[in-house]
Amino acid sequence: MVIKQGKYVTFLACPGYPKCKNIININEKQDKTPDVPSAPCPTCGRPLKKISARGSVFYGCSGYPECRFTSNSPVAEGKCPECGSHLVIRQYKDGAYKVCASKTCKFKEKI
């Protein structure tokens, strides 16, 4: 058996994996999201909740169902200086950045 690192878990596997399916989980699911405190909801100002559903993580407003704001990335404090939209935190190879959530805006600032 050899140690293998999957997307969410570390496990022991047969050296012939994936042809040989003999595996043993070593630990529970690991959270790969940045450990950054989330800002309040940009729509209503209530706190955001981190929600795990079917292996993916997203952030939703605690005021659901009145406020239906959700984000796949943690929300950062402040507004975009270029377009006024909310900012999210994204992890890249060279570090974490505050990025505008608008698809048309290209604002990006290193944290």
Side-chain angles (χ1 to χ4, degrees):
M1 300 291 266
V2 294
I3 296 176
K4 296 276 188 174
Q5 179 67 43
K7 186 173 181 181
Y8 298 107
V9 294
T10 303
F11 58 96
L12 290 173
C14 176
Y17 182 83
K19 193 180 251 186
C20 172
K21 296 288 184 184
N22 187 11
I23 62 171
I24 300 169
N25 282 336
I26 295 174
N27 58 3
E28 293 300 315
K29 188 181 273 190
Q30 299 168 350
D31 190 4
K32 297 274 185 177
T33 58
D35 214 9
V36 179
S38 186
C41 175
T43 306
C44 68
R46 295 181 184 142
L48 293 176
K49 298 188 298 186
K50 186 175 177 181
I51 303 165
S52 295
R54 297 186 199 126
S56 63
V57 174
F58 69 96
Y59 298 84
C61 182
S62 61
Y64 179 83
E66 295 88 31
C67 177
R68 294 183 175 262
F69 175 81
T70 60
S71 174
N72 290 333
S73 302
V75 178
E77 289 285 339
K79 299 275 183 191
C80 176
E82 294 178 14
C83 70
S85 183
H86 68 278
L87 298 171
V88 294
I89 299 169
R90 298 252 169 88
Q91 190 72 31
Y92 295 102
K93 289 180 183 178
D94 60 340
Y97 286 84
K98 285 184 183 179
V99 179
C100 182
S102 174
K103 292 180 181 179
T104 58
C105 183
K106 303 292 182 197
F107 177 77
K108 183 176 174 182
E109 178 183 85
K110 189 163 178 98
I111 297 177

